[in-house]
Amino acid sequence: MANLLLSLMLVFLPLSFATVGGGQSALADIHRQVVEVHHWMTPAQFLDIFAIARMAPGPGSVLCTLIGWHVAGFWGALVATLSIIGPTALLAYGVAHVWARFGGARWQRAIESGLRPVATGMILAATYVLFRALEGGWAPRVVALASGALLLKTRVHPLLLLACGAAIVVMVHGNQIT
């Protein structure tokens, strides 16, 4: 058990620094560590936990809490949560202090401009990883692409998309779902 908790901490502590500005940026690497490196869960289980974490109220770090719970119960959830939140919180506090002190400096604008494409690439990588993990054939993939397009082009409410997506997948695969 202690080795498992240490492994959880060693996975989430370094990833914590990649979550500054949003946990989505570290999602692809979390998936890689949890599914491919440590084999703590299958891609489908990861996708299920991701969906539960996104539907639950609260921060995106709930994903790490659920992964910790899946791997090592209560203590796993606690270690994973503290490991993903702790370093980021300390770093954000320090950076916010420096950012406020040197507001508008040229080096700040350069850093912000440089981080935008990196963050975009990390989010696209996370999207690709989740898209690959989809099961059920073409219907979930079409629903995911159409939902993404609608969210980008319209002001449709995400809950409406979730309901419509679920209805479509049930209609296509209704007799196969057990």
Side-chain angles (χ1 to χ4, degrees):
M1 179 67 146
N3 286 342
L4 209 48
L5 296 176
L6 180 63
S7 295
L8 280 167
M9 189 173 69
L10 291 176
V11 164
F12 288 113
L13 272 176
L15 289 172
S16 176
F17 294 107
T19 62
V20 174
Q24 297 293 358
S25 56
L27 189 60
D29 209 31
I30 291 172
H31 178 273
R32 187 179 66 78
Q33 289 288 330
V34 169
V35 173
E36 297 170 17
V37 174
H38 292 283
H39 305 286
W40 287 330
M41 60 183 61
T42 65
Q45 288 173 318
F46 183 86
L47 196 58
D48 289 345
I49 285 178
F50 176 77
I52 291 168
R54 298 313 298 167
M55 293 292 292
S61 59
V62 170
L63 173 68
C64 300
T65 304
L66 292 174
I67 290 169
W69 184 275
H70 177 84
V71 171
F74 172 80
W75 293 112
L78 184 65
V79 166
T81 302
L82 292 175
S83 297
I84 200 73
I85 291 175
T88 301
L90 292 174
L91 180 64
Y93 178 77
V95 168
H97 182 70
V98 171
W99 227 249
R101 183 170 181 203
F102 298 101
R106 186 175 178 185
W107 62 268
Q108 278 187 343
R109 291 192 307 268
I111 288 174
E112 290 170 354
S113 296
L115 288 178
R116 285 183 195 126
V118 172
T120 301
M122 293 173 80
I123 291 170
L124 287 174
T127 303
Y128 176 73
V129 164
L130 293 174
F131 193 79
R132 275 189 27 203
L134 280 176
E135 292 181 344
W138 60 270
R141 288 179 171 84
V142 169
V143 168
L145 291 172
S147 298
L150 284 171
L151 283 172
L152 289 173
K153 294 291 182 186
T154 68
R155 293 179 174 234
V156 66
H157 198 281
L159 288 178
L160 180 61
L161 288 176
L162 285 170
C164 290
I168 290 170
V169 173
V170 167
M171 284 187 326
V172 171
H173 296 288
N175 59 349
Q176 299 169 356
I177 297 173
T178 56

